[in-house]
Amino acid sequence: METETQPNVSKEILLKAFNHMMLAKAMADIYEENRAIVPYVHSTSRGHEAIQLATAYQLTAEDWVSPYYRDESLLMGIGFEPYRLMLQLLAKADDPFSGGRSYYSHPSSLEENLPKIIHQSSATGMQAIPTTGIAQGIQYIEEFGLKEFKQNPVVICSLGDNSVTEGEVSEAFQFAALHQLPIIFLVQDNEWGISVTKEEARTADAYDFVAGFTGLGRMRVDGTDFAASFEAMKNAVEFVRAERKPLVVCAKTVLIGHHTSGVRREFYRQEDELINCRAKDPGDILRKSLLEIGLDEATLNEMEKTARSEAENAFQNALAAPDPSPESVEDFVFAPTPITEESGTRSPHGQEKIVMVDAAIHAIQEIMRKHPEALLYGQDVGERIGGVFRETVTLGQKFGKKRVFNTPIQEAYIIGSTVGMSAVGLKPIVEVQFADYIYPGINQLVTEISKSSYLSNGKFPVSNIIRVPIGAYGGGGPYHSGSVESILANIKGIKIAYPSNAADFKGLLKAAYYDPNPVIMLEHKGLYWSKVPGTEDAKRVSPAEDYILPFGKADITVKAEEQCIQEGRSIVIVTYGMGVYWAKAAAKNFNGQVEIIDLRTLIPLDEKLIFERVKAHGKCIVLTEEQINNSLAEALAHRISKNCFRYLDLPVEAIGARNVPAVPINLVLEKEMLPNSEKLSDKIQQMLSE
């Protein structure tokens, strides 16, 4: 993109920028002078003020921006005054972004008259995917006319230069270029990555790096010169607002302050290099420009003095503000869900049984017909094959390529983009092809999705459904058979379903759609088509369209005889997924002595029913397909033991797969590794005999 224009910026805007720069300088100085009473790690924007303010001044209330942790000047430029920024600096209760939960300059905002900001994390570059998801969502909204805008919204993702070496940033670049999304990636290049120099970290700057992404525009600008930056960002925003195409702006800046208050410049930088950076102080450059157009030194000095006074007053007021109450520590982990009770017709008369995979297709089809904000994407889910398990077959044909579409092989993008899609009011249903391939997306799950509601003070719960085919059967081998529920269950802030039959699957999928929180649907591949011997019961009559099954409600799928329970000759098995069918097969050998609880959802967990039934039986097995050591099943066994200790006749047993790193492809080895009904029967017999 051509940027060779003569800067022509009004005196009013130049003075506004100078005032903001003096505030930024005063704030950084005050933080440094008060290190003893500013206990939390923070960064400042010193050296980056010009490009940040130039960017901020272009934005409207309908635009979206994702600042990174050095972007306090950008935040001031869009309307956040020093006092409110300092409330976050000091982690106060009235911190407008996170309620005292997150670091300085980690914003989130839905304020009506300001540009919108999703939750921002500290993980360098990780905001690129969620923010590109916003642009993807805006493009979808425009395509289907779901909302009218006063003018075309623009999305800006701010990045540090060294973060561009992250693979997930490249995934965002690729998707933005592929789909021509209305986003600007603003890369602020100060040539440092903490103590890592540009020579140590990269072969090219962002401008040269993105040259290979066809369809991704690019431009350079001197980010220390406010007038040049303002003109460049004005051109950039106008281009994206009109053309709806992506652009990378590479802004050359300098780092005048410390990397953070905890990693100080004197640890790793030489004085001559610092002197060179200070010579390019954006405030000094702008001061010189203002003097050249007729402003007098006394006026500018008075502005600097006033800014210092304003910042000092704001700091003292922020110091005096109250801390969060301890009772608020668990607020906003999840947003309240409207689905709390089972409703609708589960088993309509006269209907044939369907397999689990069809239950998913029916549910999503009904959802998408009713809700234009619903869309489905992932690898190979489009109309050609409808998923490698045919789990989305016909949906692409029925709803078109704009609502059901294939993605590149980018698990991180598939998962992380749902943050931005959700923020603009859409409901993305996405798929990771196999559970074994979810690992590239774990970063987005942990860093962005799970923490978004909590660290945004409830403003941005991520409303999505992530479908994950899981489990082993029939020689799938080490990279297509894994179980990952224990890893996922350790990520606080997400919900997990694991249905074992078609009716539950459909009801839980509907509940997941209406839940405002992130949901992972774990779908056992061996149950999709009921081809595994003994899984015929996974087929069920398809529930009516109005049927919804809430999360956190386990089911007693096999009941023990009351006489056996009263005589102490019974046992309860707590399980899920394929474990339900191993347990059912084993139960046939014990004449009413075995009760089976199908958990149906792993988070939330129906602890009330579990503890109630364990207390009634006194004997319990927790059964999982996962490798047993350090598993969710072991943790649940401990929780049951702790809460039911006085009622237990024997220790709670946890049974799972052997502790090997992967599922072998050879069928003999696979069988030896996995649990099955025979192994379970042996354990039941042993426990009932004691």
Side-chain angles (χ1 to χ4, degrees), residues 309-327:
S309 178
E310 179 184 341
E312 285 179 345
N313 289 336
F315 184 71
Q316 293 304 318
N317 290 335
L319 278 174
D323 288 321
S325 66
E327 294 77 17

Side-chain angles (χ1 to χ4, degrees), residues 328-575:
S328 70
V329 70
E330 292 186 345
D331 291 351
F332 306 117
V333 174
F334 291 112
T337 178
I339 308 301
T340 57
E341 298 295 333
E342 187 173 6
S343 61
T345 305
R346 180 178 172 93
S347 301
H349 293 297
Q351 299 294 315
E352 293 184 358
K353 290 183 177 181
I354 61 171
V355 293
M356 273 183 58
V357 74
D358 285 343
I361 294 169
H362 293 178
I364 295 173
Q365 179 174 282
E366 290 166 3
I367 286 167
M368 293 186 73
R369 282 178 176 164
K370 188 174 182 179
H371 299 283
E373 70 276 11
L375 68 163
L376 171 68
Y377 57 95
Q379 294 166 33
D380 296 303
V381 303
E383 63 181 352
R384 290 188 191 90
I385 64 171
V388 294
F389 299 102
R390 310 289 281 164
E391 70 279 11
T392 59
V393 71
T394 75
L395 294 176
Q397 297 167 1
K398 290 175 179 176
F399 296 102
K401 294 180 180 179
K402 298 290 186 179
R403 295 189 69 190
V404 180
F405 56 90
N406 294 325
T407 67
I409 302 174
Q410 294 182 337
E411 288 83 4
Y413 188 87
I414 292 167
I415 290 172
S417 61
T418 65
V419 176
M421 299 286 272
S422 170
V424 297
L426 303 178
K427 183 76 175 195
I429 304 169
V430 300
E431 182 180 307
V432 174
Q433 203 164 75
F434 291 89
D436 307 80
Y437 300 157
I438 201 170
Y439 299 108
I442 291 289
N443 201 3
Q444 289 292 321
L445 272 174
V446 173
T447 302
E448 308 298 331
I449 290 174
S450 71
K451 294 177 173 62
S452 184
S453 180
Y454 187 68
L455 294 182
S456 70
N457 237 16
K459 294 189 291 293
F460 287 104
V462 179
S463 186
N464 67 14
I465 300 174
I466 302 171
R467 298 184 61 191
V468 183
I470 192 171
Y473 79 99
Y479 293 101
H480 298 80
S481 307
S483 292
V484 297
E485 57 264 33
S486 292
I487 291 171
L488 298 175
N490 269 290
I491 305 171
K492 315 309 177 201
I494 61 175
K495 296 185 178 183
I496 304 172
Y498 202 143
S500 69
N501 62 70
D504 287 353
F505 195 172
K506 187 175 181 182
L508 289 169
L509 223 166
K510 289 290 184 76
Y513 185 81
Y514 296 109
D515 197 311
N517 299 289
V519 173
I520 295 179
M521 299 288 299
L522 298 178
E523 308 169 8
H524 200 290
K525 305 188 304 291
L527 301 179
Y528 266 154
W529 298 93
S530 289
K531 290 183 177 180
V532 175
T535 62
E536 184 70 18
D537 197 36
K539 298 178 182 177
R540 298 291 172 92
V541 170
S542 180
E545 184 171 347
D546 65 350
Y547 179 66
I548 299 179
L549 178 62
F551 278 50
K553 303 287 186 183
D555 179 45
I556 302 176
T557 190
V558 171
K559 294 183 179 180
E561 292 181 5
E562 190 60 33
Q563 184 175 348
C564 294
I565 298 173
Q566 294 301 323
E567 293 175 355
R569 299 186 295 108
S570 66
I571 189 169
V572 61
I573 300 173
V574 180
T575 189

